[in-house]
Amino acid sequence: MEYGFDITYVFDFIPKLLRVLHLTLAIVAGAIGLGLVAGLLAALPRLYKVPVLQRLSQVYASFFRGTPMLIQLFLFYYGLPELLKLVQIDVTKAPVLFFVIVTFGLHAGANISEIIRAAVTAVDRGQVEAAYSVGMTGYQSFTRIVLPQALAIAVPVFTNLVIAMLKETSLAFALGVMELTGKAQTLGTLTRHFMETYIALAIIYLAVSFTLERLLLLFERRLQRHMRRDSAETERGWRRWRGRRPLAQVAPELSGKEVPRYEA
């Protein structure tokens, strides 16, 4: 029996693949949620120079950023139950999805910790000192000055991380999780139309990635709207001042005036 390329299979496979899309999105959501917590906890010791915890945070980030995701999945799936048995905790009956989300979450946390650290350190230190000079506390200066700017810096990099995490969920099939890639592999094996299956899979990944990118782009623009508004108001004020008093007329007047002196 001959299996030629048939475009109709692409449209037939897309609805079947969409039935397991929720599982892929659940892995991404769970991993990002766990990664935000782990990343924040790992970034704080490095930002505040906590001696021992700073070194542990560096080791954690280096391990998860320097080893392949597939190896991390196997290490946590086969190794974590054995380690937890030493403290009388049995997770051998836990679903495979639990190990997948934990592994992806810790992997995302290592990258998020670097994103947080880089975004916070990118904010000018002089702004924090100016906040202290007007009486703000450390918490107020961080939430009002540092955090809004750090978020605006971090969101584009965070967007790339989310999209990369979406694509890396295909590795969960190595542990038997029937997500998008696993379902596509099954459909291809049953029908022997692998090309059509993977074209349909690519279309779905592309559509979901584009949607996530647009949503996070809207969030980024919302964070940066106050910066654009302040810049526009400054530009309009400069133009109005230039329109009322040309610089060529103002300069001679200022040069002939005596600057007042104030004595204590």
Side-chain angles (χ1 to χ4, degrees), residues 2 30 95 105 112 127-128 137-138 148 251:
E2 184 177 355
I112 290 174
Q127 299 184 37
V128 180
T137 63

Side-chain angles (χ1 to χ4, degrees), residues 1 30 46 63 65 69 85 99 106 161 169 188 192 241:
M1 185 175 180
R46 301 182 67 180
F63 172 78
R65 298 179 70 212
M69 173 68 76
K85 283 182 181 179
F99 296 97
L106 293 176
L161 175 65
T169 55
R192 308 304 297 175
W241 183 81

Side-chain angles (χ1 to χ4, degrees), residues 11 13 33 37 55 60 71 86 91-92 100 106 117 120 122 124 148 155 166 178 181 209-210 214 221 255:
F11 302 102
F13 288 151
V37 177
R55 182 60 60 184
Y60 160 71
I71 294 178
L86 300 177
V91 294
T92 55
V100 171
L106 293 176
R117 186 181 63 86
V120 171
D124 187 10
V155 168
L166 171 68
M178 195 58 63
T181 304
S209 298
F210 179 78
R214 299 304 299 177
R221 290 176 177 174
S255 62

Side-chain angles (χ1 to χ4, degrees), residues 160-177:
N160 294 334
L161 175 65
V162 173
I163 295 176
M165 190 64 58
L166 171 68
K167 294 182 289 186
E168 288 179 349
T169 55
S170 60
L171 297 175
F173 179 60
L175 297 182
V177 178

Side-chain angles (χ1 to χ4, degrees), residues 4-16 191 193 195-197 199-200 203:
F5 179 81
D6 189 350
I7 191 64
T8 58
Y9 277 94
V10 175
F11 302 102
D12 185 44
F13 288 151
I14 288 178
K16 296 179 180 179
T191 62
H193 287 273
M195 180 64 71
E196 296 89 334
T197 304
I199 290 176
I203 292 173

Side-chain angles (χ1 to χ4, degrees), residues 20-21 23-24 172-173 175-186:
V20 296
L21 177 61
L23 185 58
T24 297
F173 179 60
L175 297 182
V177 178
M178 195 58 63
E179 40 75 56
L180 281 174
T181 304
K183 184 67 174 179
Q185 182 69 23
T186 303

